[in-house]
Amino acid sequence: MNATIEKFGYPATLIREYDHWVLMLRPAQVTAGSVILAAKGGASAYGDLTDAAFVEQGRIVGELESRLKNVIEYEKINYLMLMMVDRHVHFHIFPRYGGRRSLAGISFEDSGWPGPPDLKSGVECGSEWIERAVNLLRTGQ
């Protein structure tokens, strides 16, 4: 795994591993169900990914949106590919909603709604909560 994946808490935050990607819970929750979709390997530019990685990403997005809709009941979803600090290809994915949503016993407000996500509002969650949330997002219930 690359340094970006490790920075986001792999393997403790791992929701699902794919051939070309890993889906992880974001340790700092900006909104309930904030996740990271990170490409395996060393690519530091989106265009450097293989065709197979792009095809797989399409399948992952469909699965993820359905799962998050069941668990979080989001209104919109934002995909941010910033790569300003962490150089390997990855997306920050934020379910968006007005009001509050709960995940694994903690309630989160989308403080940026209805504008851009407020990245500075991320709540660092402890390892026990991360384990519960990862399990919830793995099963989608």
Side-chain angles (χ1 to χ4, degrees):
M1 297 298 158
N2 62 48
T4 300
I5 291 170
E6 291 172 359
K7 178 185 176 184
F8 287 106
Y10 178 90
T13 58
L14 181 67
I15 297 167
R16 184 160 178 206
E17 185 169 348
Y18 299 87
D19 291 337
H20 304 278
W21 299 89
V22 292
L23 180 65
M24 302 175 293
L25 185 72
R26 192 175 192 273
Q29 292 285 286
V30 172
T31 62
S34 298
V35 297
I36 301 288
L37 181 61
K40 294 178 177 180
S44 59
Y46 194 44
D48 289 343
L49 297 177
T50 65
D51 289 346
F54 285 113
V55 169
E56 185 178 61
Q57 183 184 20
R59 288 195 322 268
I60 294 167
V61 166
E63 291 172 12
L64 174 63
E65 288 184 3
S66 176
R67 183 165 295 164
L68 286 174
K69 192 68 150 170
N70 288 339
V71 175
I72 305 299
E73 299 180 14
Y74 65 85
E75 296 175 51
K76 300 276 186 184
I77 193 161
N78 292 165
Y79 294 81
L80 299 180
M81 177 190 271
L82 303 172
M83 295 169 32
M84 298 301 291
V85 175
D86 306 304
R87 69 179 199 91
H88 298 100
V89 173
H90 68 288
F91 291 86
H92 296 259
I93 304 170
F94 302 108
R96 304 300 308 282
Y97 46 83
R100 300 183 76 77
R101 298 290 191 276
S102 292
L103 178 63
I106 295 180
S107 180
F108 298 91
E109 182 176 356
D110 183 345
S111 62
W113 180 265
D118 179 6
L119 300 181
K120 294 181 192 255
S121 70
V123 176
E124 289 287 339
C125 299
S127 60
E128 288 180 21
W129 180 85
I130 288 172
E131 184 178 345
R132 287 193 314 272
V134 163
N135 287 332
L136 258 171
L137 292 173
R138 278 183 185 151
T139 64
Q141 300 175 8

